[in-house]
Amino acid sequence: MNHSFQDTGSCGIHEDGKLYVVDSINDLNKLNLCPVGSQHPFPLDEKAPGLGTNSGNGSRSLFFVGLLIVLLVSLTLVFFVIFLIIQTANKMEDVSRRLAAEGKDIDDLKKINNMIIKRLNQLDSEQN
């Protein structure tokens, strides 16, 4: 892109007054010589205005749209995973609270069971 008009080759200097066709900015170094009697540099049936001239930009924008969709989907999945982690943590807290309460209940039941066994042993020893 930094080349001047004279950098395109010595042909440009010797062929003054001839019309060249450039298909796109990417093909700037590929200059095509137009026929001598040609009035239009682009034949009308070959290219419609606005169609196919920005194929690089179209694929680039399609790439960015696809990338944006992928990023949005991954962001949604990350938020969903964070939500599931928080819900699981809340459920685990509930379960641990219940287990702690049931553990106290079990300890109380063991104490009551030991008291009953002691009392039964005392009654059994008194009967003998």
Side-chain angles (χ1 to χ4, degrees), residues 52-65:
T53 57
N54 293 332
S55 63
N57 290 339
S59 64
R60 191 176 302 147
S61 65
L62 184 63
F63 171 74
F64 285 127
V65 167

Side-chain angles (χ1 to χ4, degrees), residues 35-103:
V36 175
S38 174
Q39 292 289 328
H40 302 285
F42 299 106
L44 295 177
D45 34 332
E46 232 178 78
K47 286 191 177 186
L51 295 176
T53 57
N54 293 332
S55 63
N57 290 339
S59 64
R60 191 176 302 147
S61 65
L62 184 63
F63 171 74
F64 285 127
V65 167
L67 184 65
L68 182 66
I69 290 172
V70 167
L71 288 175
L72 287 175
V73 167
S74 61
L75 187 65
T76 305
L77 287 175
V78 166
F79 282 133
F80 182 68
V81 166
I82 290 171
F83 174 75
L84 287 178
I85 289 171
I86 292 171
Q87 290 296 323
T88 304
N90 290 340
K91 295 289 182 182
M92 290 301 291
E93 279 183 27
D94 291 342
V95 168
S96 64
R97 268 191 247 125
R98 287 181 190 166
L99 285 176
E102 288 176 5

Side-chain angles (χ1 to χ4, degrees), residues 3-14:
H3 303 305
S4 67
F5 180 77
Q6 284 120 5
D7 289 345
T8 57
S10 62
C11 310
I13 297 171
H14 298 294

